[in-house]
Amino acid sequence: MTTTTRDKMIAGAADLMSRRGVNATSMRDVVRHTATPRGSISHHFPDGKRQLIAEAVTFAGKQVSIPLEKAMNDRGVIGGLKAFIASWRRQLEATGFEAGCPVLAVAVDRYVGEASDRDDEAAQQHLLDLADGVFADWRQIMRAALLREGLTAERSERLATLVVASIEGTVAMCRASRSADPLDHVQQELEMVLTAALSQATR
Amino acid sequence: MTTTTRDKMIAGAADLMSRRGVNATSMRDVVRHTATPRGSISHHFPDGKRQLIAEAVTFAGKQVSIPLEKAMNDRGVIGGLKAFIASWRRQLEATGFEAGCPVLAVAVDRYVGEASDRDDEAAQQHLLDLADGVFADWRQIMRAALLREGLTAERSERLATLVVASIEGTVAMCRASRSADPLDHVQQELEMVLTAALSQATR
DNA sequence: CAATGACTATGACGATTGTCATATTTCAGC
DNA sequence: GCTGAAATATGACAATCGTCATAGTCATTG
């Protein structure tokens, strides 16, 4: 596969970003971590680090949204929620609570590029828009599943926002406390909220 | 006041961290932003940037927890929640959705210090512990208020975790989307969850 | 075989970083 | 007013950053 090097760089960047944040992940770290050639970075990503970050964000977004959508279709809203949370728990525990969410990292961390881009607000907003798009994507999957179960559009939107936001926050809290306890607590409460909303809708 | 310079540096660091993240905030930025003398930084913070970050985290933690605890005591759980969310909304809108939560920034962003500390895991954990302590502090205030209203210890702990985690995640999402809509949605749902839990407890 | 293109290797560049050493200033307390 | 400590100013240091230029390798074509 000719795109192996490029893909490894993107996946490695997403992984490092989820562990350290955007600015703490240097391109030299990426090539070290993925055992890829350093000279290829400007070849595969002519727009530099900003492009690599952007591709890492959309990559991480799809990596979550694709199985999430499948789980929602196969197992319903509650099953999809369980699968969503389980995947985050797996990532946290597999990395010793080192890796969080790379999309959240972009949403929190402001990328400080080369001197010419220091005040380039447009380029900055582009990364934020990408992160926002990923969140909106996840939210939309949740929202559609809730709609299918008979909830109103407004309620579905609100609950989807609550689910995505609370899980993102919880993952960060788990990383800080090196414990999955917050995830357990949030999972229980979210399941109660959704089951209550669903039973209320079909009543 | 002799501590004015020091305090301005801490507050400025917290502000910049909430806007850009930890690593995108340089000490030169802090002194530029706060109009404080650069030479004083090693005087007031002999342990360097790591100490400044640590003090900024605990400062930001108290800045939230003190009014939060007061609101919880004065206006009850729901009123306290409203005040909690309102303060975040104020900060987001006052800065044009630039400033998020500096504590979350520390929880997501890994500080990359000088070469001698690159592999110093202990010093790294210290900052994470501090962020975790702030989250635990906020959670504890919420938890105590719920306990006072008659909820069980387990339920109070779970709901407190949900509230803090979801709001942290929501603030980051608002920053990404440059909109307070997620905060509106989460606020409505959290209020419904808490009122339902309270009425269930006193029944 | 030649050659054309994609890909890799390596070193250098200016800029910025955190830190430190060394003045210089400020200002209580005597 | 003098003195000594606290605070501030300034410049330099090594290290690292993202980027780029140049040269080398390699495979797939004609």
Side-chain angles (χ1 to χ4, degrees):
Chain A
M1 177 92 65
T2 141
T3 57
T4 279
T5 291
R6 214 184 107 100
D7 291 347
K8 275 203 290 186
M9 285 178 172
I10 295 174
D15 181 44
L16 287 180
M17 282 160 53
S18 75
R19 296 171 186 265
R20 319 182 185 181
V22 173
N23 287 289
T25 300
S26 72
M27 319 213 68
R28 287 170 164 87
D29 283 337
V30 173
V31 305
R32 245 192 306 266
H33 186 253
T34 58
T36 46
R38 200 188 101 211
S40 304
I41 212 160
S42 57
H43 177 74
H44 292 297
F45 308 95
D47 290 344
K49 187 178 183 179
R50 174 161 287 131
Q51 181 183 359
L52 178 58
I53 298 172
E55 306 225 25
V57 168
T58 66
F59 164 79
K62 283 181 187 166
Q63 207 176 9
V64 169
S65 66
I66 289 177
L68 174 62
E69 186 148 33
K70 181 176 302 182
M72 285 287 177
N73 289 335
D74 294 352
R75 304 163 46 191
V77 169
I78 299 294
L81 174 72
K82 284 183 196 286
F84 190 30
I85 293 180
S87 74
W88 285 116
R89 190 196 316 271
R90 210 175 310 121
Q91 158 144 338
L92 284 167
E93 291 176 346
T95 62
F97 298 95
E98 273 207 359
C101 174
V103 186
L104 183 66
V106 172
V108 168
D109 210 346
R110 177 182 182 120
Y111 168 58
V112 189
E114 52 180 338
S116 62
D117 289 344
R118 287 302 276 231
D119 297 321
D120 191 347
E121 203 70 22
Q124 186 55 232
Q125 304 275 28
H126 178 235
L127 286 180
L128 272 186
D129 284 339
L130 244 50
D132 181 48
V134 170
F135 288 146
D137 194 17
W138 298 350
R139 226 163 39 205
Q140 168 61 20
I141 294 172
M142 190 81 216
R143 195 181 97 102
L146 290 168
L147 270 175
R148 262 181 270 128
E149 304 269 356
L151 292 193
T152 69
E154 292 78 13
R155 189 82 206 278
S156 300
E157 173 73 22
R158 291 201 307 263
L159 283 175
T161 304
L162 175 70
V163 167
V164 174
S166 61
I167 290 177
E168 284 291 309
T170 307
V171 168
M173 283 181 48
C174 288
R175 200 183 102 93
S177 66
R178 264 102 61 204
S179 155
D181 292 347
L183 205 54
D184 294 331
H185 299 152
V186 168
Q187 172 162 14
Q188 282 192 52
E189 291 298 328
L190 285 182
E191 287 183 10
M192 287 176 60
V193 170
L194 291 191
T195 54
L198 291 182
S199 75
Q200 189 178 354
T202 57
R203 186 186 306 162
Chain B
M1 177 91 65
T2 141
T3 57
T4 279
T5 292
R6 216 185 105 99
D7 291 345
K8 276 202 291 186
M9 284 178 171
I10 294 174
D15 181 45
L16 287 180
M17 281 161 52
S18 74
R19 296 171 186 264
R20 319 182 184 182
V22 174
N23 287 290
T25 300
S26 72
M27 319 213 67
R28 285 170 165 86
D29 282 337
V30 173
V31 304
R32 244 192 308 265
H33 186 253
T34 58
T36 47
R38 201 188 103 213
S40 305
I41 211 161
S42 57
H43 177 74
H44 293 298
F45 308 96
D47 290 344
K49 186 177 182 179
R50 175 160 286 131
Q51 182 183 0
L52 178 58
I53 298 171
E55 306 224 25
V57 168
T58 66
F59 164 78
K62 283 181 188 168
Q63 207 176 9
V64 169
S65 66
I66 290 177
L68 173 63
E69 185 149 33
K70 181 176 302 182
M72 285 287 175
N73 289 335
D74 293 353
R75 304 162 48 191
V77 168
I78 300 294
L81 174 71
K82 284 183 195 288
F84 191 29
I85 293 180
S87 75
W88 285 116
R89 189 195 316 270
R90 209 175 309 121
Q91 156 141 339
L92 284 167
E93 290 175 347
T95 62
F97 299 96
E98 272 207 358
C101 174
V103 187
L104 183 66
V106 172
V108 168
D109 211 345
R110 175 178 185 124
Y111 168 59
V112 190
E114 52 180 338
S116 62
D117 289 345
R118 286 301 275 231
D119 298 320
D120 192 347
E121 203 69 22
Q124 187 54 233
Q125 304 274 27
H126 178 233
L127 286 180
L128 273 186
D129 283 339
L130 243 52
D132 180 49
V134 170
F135 288 145
D137 194 17
W138 298 350
R139 228 163 36 207
Q140 167 61 20
I141 294 172
M142 190 81 217
R143 195 181 96 103
L146 290 168
L147 270 175
R148 260 182 271 130
E149 305 269 356
L151 292 194
T152 69
E154 292 78 13
R155 190 82 206 278
S156 300
E157 173 73 22
R158 291 201 307 264
L159 283 176
T161 304
L162 175 70
V163 167
V164 174
S166 63
I167 290 177
E168 284 291 308
T170 306
V171 168
M173 282 182 48
C174 288
R175 200 182 103 92
S177 66
R178 266 100 63 201
S179 155
D181 293 347
L183 204 55
D184 295 332
H185 300 153
V186 168
Q187 171 162 15
Q188 282 192 52
E189 290 298 328
L190 285 182
E191 287 182 11
M192 287 176 59
V193 170
L194 291 191
T195 54
L198 292 181
S199 75
Q200 191 179 352
T202 57
R203 186 185 304 163

